[in-house]
Amino acid sequence: MILSIGEILADMVGERIDGTMTFKAFCGGAPFNVAVNAKKAGAKVGFIGCVGKDPIGKFLTLEAGKASLDSLEIQVDNKRNTTLAFVTLTDGERDFSFYRNDTADYNIDIDSIDFNDYNDLNIVHLGSLMLSEENGKVLAQKVVDKTKSLSKKLSFDLNFRKDIYKDFLDAVNSYKPFVEQADIIKFSDDELRDYTGKEDIIEGIESIYKKDTLIVLTLGSKGSMYYLNGKYGLVETVKVKPIDTTGAGDAFFGTFLANIEKEEWTEENIKNALVKANKAGAETTQFLGAIKL
């Protein structure tokens, strides 16, 4: 089983019509998107998140139920609003702006969750948006501690976003403890360069590498690659013209985790998982929003 923990939020996708900007709400949030895609890829999946007691929170809870996850716990915060991400598109490429001032996403009551209740748990996937807030960092470390205490694998998607931190150094220092503790890490090539300051991908990986960590990178139109204990390989992707790239990385990673969860980390198994992940990521760029429910 894969248990994904972190934000579920509304992607407010904007469209310019007759001099106005109109927004449509879509169910999103990287860890929730990962959960949905892992389930679609055939894994047993659970998700834990938090929304506010407001119309958007109710909308997300109803939409999340359509995903048919094996376990779904969406807590309701009576004091805080649901997190929103405003998304505008230019030629299919997205520009994000978060509405997130003491909102619900990083205020999950993780102390009330017993990981032993999740049968056949193999991977715990941790979202990174929470790390921009002190409460979120505490939450994330508790997730790590619970995962390690059960000797399960920790998955982490960096999702490097400088705009929600005080400055670049604050962002790097917030991500670093979780990069160091994770067993499976996903970067995009640009995120790796930002995080490490290295232009060369292999030099960047080796500058942060910890033994027995499986690192996967998305490379845009070039496909994806993996790195494990000095060995690495590239897998080409499907060529598509994107309509909306929102959630493509989540589709990639959810599918990858589903296909590697119960497999030995051999070159063949990792590459097979990357082939399927590349396809899922490409398919997600062919519709508006991050997921279809």
Side-chain angles (χ1 to χ4, degrees):
M1 183 181 197
I2 298 168
L3 177 61
S4 186
I5 302 171
E7 73 273 9
I8 180 170
L9 50 76
D11 285 323
M12 309 296 292
V13 180
E15 182 181 10
R16 293 180 178 87
I17 301 176
D18 297 330
T20 65
M21 180 69 80
T22 302
F23 288 89
K24 293 182 179 179
F26 294 86
C27 190
F32 181 70
N33 298 340
V34 166
V36 171
N37 282 282
K39 178 64 179 177
K40 183 179 177 182
K44 184 178 178 182
V45 180
F47 175 77
I48 301 170
C50 186
V51 298
K53 191 178 181 180
D54 52 39
I56 294 294
K58 293 176 183 177
F59 163 74
L60 294 177
T61 301
L62 289 172
E63 287 295 293
K66 298 177 182 178
S68 300
L69 301 180
D70 299 279
S71 176
L72 177 64
E73 177 160 345
I74 299 181
Q75 299 173 359
V76 178
D77 190 318
N78 292 320
K79 297 179 181 178
R80 299 176 176 89
N81 290 329
T82 303
T83 306
L84 306 177
F86 289 90
V87 187
T88 53
L89 301 171
T90 303
D91 297 327
E93 292 299 322
R94 57 198 174 146
D95 182 26
F96 268 104
S97 177
F98 287 98
Y99 174 76
R100 191 168 171 268
N101 183 12
D102 194 28
T103 46
D105 74 87
Y106 54 90
N107 285 287
I108 298 168
D109 179 11
I110 202 68
D111 293 330
S112 66
I113 307 296
D114 186 351
F115 283 18
N116 286 300
D117 291 340
Y118 295 89
N119 295 328
D120 306 319
L121 181 62
N122 293 308
I123 295 173
V124 176
H125 175 67
L126 178 65
S128 63
L129 188 65
M130 65 181 74
L131 300 180
S132 64
E133 304 292 337
E134 289 306 315
N135 287 358
K137 292 175 186 176
V138 172
L139 164 63
Q141 189 57 54
K142 287 182 178 181
V143 170
V144 173
D145 293 342
K146 284 174 176 277
T147 303
K148 298 296 184 180
S149 71
L150 296 176
S151 299
K152 307 303 180 184
K153 286 185 169 33
L154 178 72
S155 161
F156 182 65
D157 184 351
L158 190 79
N159 269 326
F160 197 96
R161 294 187 176 106
K162 298 185 286 291
D163 57 314
I164 61 174
Y165 291 87
K166 289 185 297 184
D167 51 40
F168 175 80
L169 186 60
D170 182 39
V172 171
N173 288 339
S174 296
Y175 292 122
K176 186 177 179 181
F178 302 96
V179 169
E180 292 176 346
Q181 295 175 94
D183 302 292
I184 308 170
I185 310 172
K186 173 191 163 293
F187 293 89
S188 71
D189 50 353
D190 288 337
E191 288 168 345
L192 181 71
R193 292 187 183 100
D194 282 342
Y195 182 75
T196 64
K198 306 283 187 181
E199 189 62 28
D200 182 81
I201 286 176
I202 300 302
E203 286 184 11
I205 292 173
E206 291 179 344
S207 72
I208 60 169
Y209 194 74
K210 174 173 63 72
K211 185 176 182 293
D212 296 332
T213 303
L214 176 56
I215 293 181
V216 293
L217 279 85
T218 54
L219 307 172
S221 62
K222 296 179 182 178
S224 61
M225 66 171 290
Y226 80 93
Y227 187 101
L228 176 66
N229 291 333
K231 296 181 179 179
Y232 55 91
L234 175 70
V235 175
E236 294 184 355
T237 191
V238 182
K239 304 294 184 183
V240 295
K241 183 176 181 180
I243 295 171
D244 178 6
T245 58
T246 305
D250 303 329
F252 168 90
F253 203 31
T255 303
F256 179 80
L257 291 177
N259 282 280
I260 204 66
E261 177 197 0
K262 298 179 180 179
E263 301 295 336
E264 185 181 352
W265 288 358
T266 63
E267 179 182 13
E268 181 180 6
N269 289 339
I270 294 171
K271 284 190 171 182
N272 285 340
L274 288 176
V275 168
K276 294 175 182 177
N278 285 345
K279 183 179 178 182
E283 288 175 348
T284 299
T285 70
Q286 300 304 289
F287 57 83
L288 288 177
I291 49 178
K292 283 185 176 180
L293 296 171

